[in-house]
Amino acid sequence: MTASFIPPRRILMGPGPSDVPQRVLDAMARPTIGHLDPAFVELMEQIKSMLRMAFRTNNALTFPVSAPGSAGMEMCFVNLVEPGDKVIVCRNGVFGGRMLENVKRCRGIPVVVDDAWGKPVDPDKVRDAFQAHPDARVLAFVHAETSTGAQSDAETLARIAQEYAALTIMDCVTSLGGTPVHVDAWGIDAAYSGSQKCLSCTPGLSPVSFSERAIARIRARATPVQSWFLDLTLVLGYWQSAGRRTYHHTAPVNPMYGLHEALVMLEEEGLENAWARHRAMHDRLKAGLDALGLEFVVEEGARLPQLNAIHVPTGVDEAAIRARLLAEFGLEIGAGLGDMAGRMWRIGLMGHSARPENVDACLRALAAVLGRG
Ligand SMILES: Cc1ncc(COP(=O)(O)O)c(C=O)c1O
């Protein structure tokens, strides 16, 4: 007989998922009800409203996709990019590369703006790309590049797109709830995030938000959306006003309880206080890393407080250190991805993980395994 699975106790300080508060786990353990039950419909309305608070938007079409952040990404592209559409895609890490892959699979025409890994997207390059391709219909960029810990200037990038009447798709998987995201003030047309990072829910849900301009573009499509599940024109029927809900798919009921509780906690803390907490924990971590002689990959000013990319010191076996942190301290930190594999650690301070006791435990553990301090 196979025994029940009991996960080991971990402190999650990698690139996500982050620690999930007991309150959220308790909420998820409540009895399952039908996904068209009036009580569940009411819960969904509250989730939509709290997500508007988190995204700083009044967009009616704001809801959690029943699938992880990658599905939120794909929803934006399959709905907003038609075959032959030109899309300016900014690539300064892994997730910009995935955006590019989405554009290709939608049979759009990508115009790639490359920046070095660890650098923010350069707005001047984006402006040059629009000057060379004024017919581009969409600008796509990652606000918080989890693979490198760099934050780009979303407001400036969106403004450039607006000058050329292009729509913007913004990945805020790692930024939502951790650093300021202002969907309306910045004029973002499509934003997607993930439940498992600074919102501190379990993985598997992707909050998204679409502007009226984005909806108008979708309604004017000449071709049907190639994905049935992610076709917003169908999903709209399900997520639209409470009274007219029709069956589209069976919503993951208990994970939605969890997201609801995580958003209630965010409301209680206050969004701006949550941003300030992430910043304060970053400062605390930075002071300790400086003392250990460890250096950041990203220059000050473009650093994400919630994702701290650190150079692995010369001669140190990065995988062996991570393995010891996990085995001896129950602490998970992240490895480098792609070009940065073997050369970088990523220390996440996301959501419930961004607490003084975690920062201090991480610094003590690093000092011990590196034989420093
Ligand atoms: C910036 C960014 N975009 C997209 C994703 C994909 O999200 P998920 O792993 O939930 O599918 C991630 C996940 O780490 C991410 O960090």
Side-chain angles (χ1 to χ4, degrees), residues 68-70 73 95 98 142 144 146 171 173-174 196-197:
S70 306
M73 178 188 285
F95 294 100
R98 288 201 185 170
V142 180
T146 327
D171 178 319
V173 170
T174 281
Q196 76 276 30
K197 308 252 183 185

Side-chain angles (χ1 to χ4, degrees), residues 329-353:
F329 298 89
L331 175 74
E332 177 183 289
I333 67 167
L337 293 179
D339 290 358
M340 296 296 207
R343 296 192 286 133
M344 182 206 266
W345 289 310
R346 290 179 300 151
I347 304 179
L349 292 171
M350 298 177 182
H352 193 55
S353 295

Side-chain angles (χ1 to χ4, degrees), residues 133-164:
H133 303 277
D135 55 337
R137 303 198 79 209
V138 176
L139 169 69
F141 63 87
V142 180
H143 181 216
E145 198 19 284
T146 327
S147 62
T148 67
Q151 176 159 258
S152 291
D153 180 353
E155 183 173 17
T156 301
L157 296 176
R159 197 175 323 117
I160 297 168
Q162 285 147 22
E163 285 166 26
Y164 289 87

